[in-house]
Structures are given as structure tokens and as C-alpha cells.
Amino acid sequence: MTSGQHLLPVERAGHRQLHCVSSQTVASLIRGQFGPAVEDFLIVDCRYPYEYQGGHIKGAVNLYTESQIQQAVYQDHPSDSRPEDEGSSPRKLIVFHCEFSSERGPHLCQYLRRLDRCVNAQVYPNLHYPELYLLLGGYKHFHASYPDLCDPCGYVPMRQREYREQLHGFRRTRPTRQRRRRPIRIHQRTTR
């Protein structure tokens, strides 16, 4: 399937490289309001397990590491399968989110995009997963708007006190991302 026009309505947001969708759009997707155009969809909850267990979007799967993403999405696609073998419709969609969709969700969404492009380098722009989305406002906003679509109907913040040890454990085991730092440029005034 080639990347092209997206099925879901995309919102403008701070994540310029990602296609963001509203809580209302995800609720419509869950309720089947996109009809037969959507063959299948997956909601990926990128929060830590204690957050997920405290409440999540119905049907969401909890994948919070790059290796989990790789294992889960490519188990259906053997390394020798090509995206053009799948046909062009109906579509398979993946929606990522974390608590606010500001760090973990966007990171894993971008990771899957890079992985898919790498796996399909010979046939790019054909991709296995051309329609990746990020839920605007994350689970916090979705839960506030659609508690009936959450199971269980709860919300555990990442920084909730009683889970502090678990949070530190997840952060210790997470590989650190090396960020390139731009050199600081000092502008000197010249006097004449």
C-alpha cells in the first residue's frame, strides 16, 4: 500500500512530522463509524504497564518499547513479504498515544515509520503501515472526553506517587537516546 491520502481526518498540531487525530475521531473509529473502509486498526498505548492497567482505551494494546513495537507489528509480516501484495483497500490503521502524546507515543510512532521505511527500502513509497496516527492530548484527554470507551474506566498518571519505584525502574531499563546538541554560539558585538 502506498502512502497517500489518509482516511482519518488529520488535525494540525505541534508534531509536524506526525498525523494527529482527535479523541472524537478515535471514538468514531472504535464505534465503527468509518465502516468497511477500515479493515483493521490497532491502538497502541505507549504508557507503562501500571498506567495501562489503571485504565486504557478499549481494545488498546500496551507496547512501550521499540522491541515490543517491532515484535508486535512485524509478526504478521514475514521479512520476505512486500506491501504491494496486500492490495490498496480496505485500510489498516495504527493510532499511538501515551499520557499526553508528547513524548513516548510520538517517539514510538516515528520509530515504526523509520522501521517500515527501512524494511521496505526497495519498494518505497510502498509501506506495510502507511497510516500511522498520534492521538492528540493522549489518554488523559481521551479519558476525560470518552470514559465509556475506557476499560477499566480509570486514569493513573505516570508520576503518581505510589508507582514512583516502578517509574524509576522503567526509566532505568529504557535505553537513553543520544541527542545531538548544537554548539552554543556566542555572538560578540564588534565595536567600531
Side-chain angles (χ1 to χ4, degrees), residues 43-61:
I43 298 174
V44 178
D45 188 327
C46 302
R47 297 175 302 149
Y48 299 128
Y50 66 89
E51 296 172 274
Y52 176 84
Q53 292 162 1
H56 57 269
I57 298 172
K58 287 182 180 179
V61 296

Side-chain angles (χ1 to χ4, degrees), residues 12 16 31 56 59 74 83 91 116 135 180:
R12 293 212 175 263
R16 287 177 276 164
R31 292 176 176 149
H56 57 269
Y74 278 99
R91 302 183 189 186
D116 200 15
L135 172 61
R180 292 183 183 166

